[in-house]
Amino acid sequence: DKGGHRHFMAKEIAEQPHVIGEALSHYLTADGRDIALPDTMPDFAGVDRLVLVACGTAYFACVTAKYWFERIARLPVEVDIASEFRYREPPVADGTVALFVSQSGETADTLAALRYCADKAAHVVSVVNVPESSIARESGTALPILAGVEVGVASTKAFTCQLTVLYLLALKAARQRGHLDADALADRLSALRSLPGILNHALAQDRSAKKVARKLAEADDILFLGRGLMYPLAMEGALKLKEISYIHAEAYASGELKHGPIALIDKRMPVVVMAPRDALFDKTVSNMQEVMARGGKVTLVTDEAGLAEAGDGVTHTLVMPTVADDLAPILYAIPAQQLAYHTAIAKGTDVDQPRNLAKSVTVE
Ligand code: M6R
C-alpha cells in the first residue's frame, strides 16, 4: 500500500519524521534525559576501538557515525565496506566492538564480516531494521532501527533511522566515557526530539527540489560536494541519484576538489553542494566559488544563514531549516532523497524497482 503516494519511495521519504519519532520513543528513557540500551550492550567506557562495517547506504550511515563517535565520544573508529573488510583479514583485538549496520539484516558480505568478527571473540553489535534477520540473530546485541517495512530499493527511511540510532549510541558512548555530563546529554536529546518537526519543514520543500531535479535530469554527470558530516551525506546523495535515475554521480570531500576532480568542472556538469552554516561552511564556500569561477552550475543546499552569506552566483538553492550541527546529516538526507526521486521521475525510470538491483543482496 503506497498510502496515496505515487511510489513506495515517496511514501517512505514522507514517513521519516514519524519513524524517527518511533525510534526515539523506543530508546529514550521515560524522563527523556538518557538512552536505554539492552543489558547485553557493552559499556563504552571499556571499549578501545569501534569497527563499523556495512554496504551501500548503510555504509554511508557508518561513515557519518565515525565523525560522531570520534568527536563526541573520543572513541577511535574504523569504518569499512563489508566486502573489503571480510577479505582483508584485519586484526580484531580484545576491547574492540564490531558494529554491523544493515536494513535487511541479510546482506551476504555484511553477514560474513560479522561472522569473521564473532570468531575473533569481538563483541558483535548490529543495527538492523529486520529483527528476525540473520544479522540480528547472530549478534551479541541487536538494536532495531524501527523504520518499518522499506519496500523501495533505494533506501530512505532506513538510512535516517540508522543515523538516529548511531547518533544515540555515540551520545551514550560519550556519556559513559566521561565526555558528556548528564545535563549536556539531556540537552542533546531534547534537540533530537525536535528533529521530526524540523524534518517536516524539509519535506515541505519538495516542490523546490522537483524544480532543481528537472534541470539535473538533463545532465550526464553530477558532482556532489560536502565537508565533515556532509561528506558521507554527499556520497549518499550521489548513490541515491545513480541508483534510480541512472545518471552518473559521484561525491567528493570538497577539500579534495583541487586534487583532481576540479578538472571536470564545466557548465554541463551540475554540482550539488551540501553545506549548512556550520564551522566548516567558509571552507566549503571557497571550494564552491572555485567551481563557479570555472563556469560550474551550483545547487547549494543550505540554511537561511548560509544563503545570506553565500547565495550570490549560485544557480539553484534549497533552503533547509536551521538545525544543531550534529543533526544536519539526518535533515539534509531529505533534499538528497528528493533530488534523486524527482530526477528519476523526470527521466521516467522505475523508481521503486530500478534495473539490475535487488532490495536485499544475499549473494556476494
Ligand atoms: O540491507 P542492507 O542495509 O544491508 O543493504 C545494503 C545495501 O545493499 C543497500 O543500502 C543499497 O546500497 C541500497 N539500494 C541503497 O539505496
Side-chain angles (χ1 to χ4, degrees):
D1 176 17
K2 296 181 191 141
H5 292 273
R6 189 166 158 199
H7 298 98
F8 282 107
M9 185 180 178
K11 172 176 177 256
E12 289 158 5
I13 289 173
E15 279 171 354
Q16 292 176 105
H18 174 71
V19 289
I20 287 172
E22 295 285 299
L24 292 177
S25 354
H26 178 86
Y27 286 103
L28 267 50
T29 53
D31 63 2
R33 290 178 55 86
D34 202 356
I35 299 150
L37 296 174
D39 294 342
T40 52
M41 188 70 194
D43 188 317
F44 283 103
V47 174
D48 303 327
R49 189 165 148 270
L50 185 61
V51 175
L52 301 175
V53 180
C55 300
T57 286
Y59 167 72
F60 298 134
C62 291
V63 184
T64 310
K66 175 182 168 76
Y67 287 76
W68 287 327
F69 275 104
E70 292 189 344
R71 196 165 49 205
I72 312 169
R74 313 303 306 157
L75 181 60
V77 174
E78 183 196 343
V79 49
D80 210 347
I81 295 165
S83 57
E84 287 300 309
F85 182 87
R86 63 181 286 199
Y87 293 117
R88 211 173 63 231
E89 298 181 22
V92 181
D94 280 359
T96 296
V97 165
L99 191 152
F100 301 85
V101 180
S102 176
Q103 186 287 126
S104 63
E106 301 297 345
T107 300
D109 282 319
T110 309
L111 182 58
L114 182 156
R115 287 176 177 157
Y116 173 86
C117 289
D119 281 352
K120 304 266 171 305
H123 188 86
V124 168
V125 179
S126 61
V127 169
V128 288
N129 197 30
V130 182
E132 58 280 3
S133 60
S134 307
I135 287 175
R137 278 187 280 110
E138 295 192 29
S139 302
T141 309
L143 303 171
I145 60 167
L146 302 140
V149 176
E150 189 182 66
V151 178
V153 164
S155 185
T156 53
K157 61 176 180 169
F159 176 63
T160 48
C161 285
Q162 285 161 353
L163 289 178
T164 302
V165 172
L166 290 166
Y167 180 65
L168 290 173
L169 289 180
L171 293 182
K172 189 72 179 181
R175 179 81 189 103
Q176 290 173 335
R177 295 166 65 79
H179 296 290
L180 214 54
D181 66 27
D183 286 339
L185 174 61
D187 287 349
R188 281 185 179 257
L189 294 177
S190 129
L192 198 51
R193 278 199 309 276
S194 63
L195 189 62
I198 298 175
L199 297 184
N200 275 320
H201 289 288
L203 289 172
Q205 302 295 308
D206 193 57
R207 289 179 78 84
S208 315
K210 188 173 177 179
K211 262 193 220 154
V212 177
R214 286 211 191 99
K215 290 286 167 201
L216 296 183
E218 295 166 10
D220 293 322
D221 308 275
I222 298 176
L223 188 62
F224 282 74
L225 296 178
R227 257 182 203 263
L229 284 166
M230 287 297 114
Y231 171 45
L233 205 259
M235 293 195 272
E236 167 61 6
L239 174 67
K240 212 93 298 174
L241 194 96
K242 72 186 119 187
E243 253 189 315
I244 59 169
S245 76
Y246 315 149
I247 294 175
H248 167 239
E250 61 180 320
Y252 268 93
S254 49
E256 274 292 290
L257 194 63
K258 52 167 75 67
H259 299 283
I262 198 164
L264 296 169
I265 301 295
D266 64 17
K267 61 179 185 325
R268 286 177 304 123
M269 185 176 68
V271 179
V272 179
V273 179
M274 301 284 192
R277 174 77 191 81
D278 60 12
L280 300 174
F281 183 71
D282 294 347
K283 308 261 177 213
T284 309
V285 166
S286 87
N287 302 131
M288 184 179 90
Q289 281 157 350
E290 287 157 6
V291 168
M292 296 193 299
R294 285 157 185 84
K297 300 260 184 295
V298 169
T299 295
L300 175 61
V301 189
T302 186
D303 46 28
E304 290 289 354
L307 181 68
E309 248 174 81
D312 285 355
V314 164
T315 306
H316 304 286
T317 50
L318 291 176
V319 185
M320 293 296 111
T322 305
V323 72
D325 291 356
D326 277 331
L327 301 182
I330 306 177
L331 174 63
Y332 283 64
I334 290 185
Q337 296 161 354
Q338 290 169 329
L339 287 175
Y341 177 73
H342 290 297
T343 304
I345 296 212
K347 299 277 291 187
T349 54
D350 185 341
V351 171
D352 284 333
Q353 194 51 257
R355 68 185 181 200
N356 310 339
L357 289 172
K359 180 66 183 161
S360 178
V361 184
T362 53
V363 288
E364 67 171 298

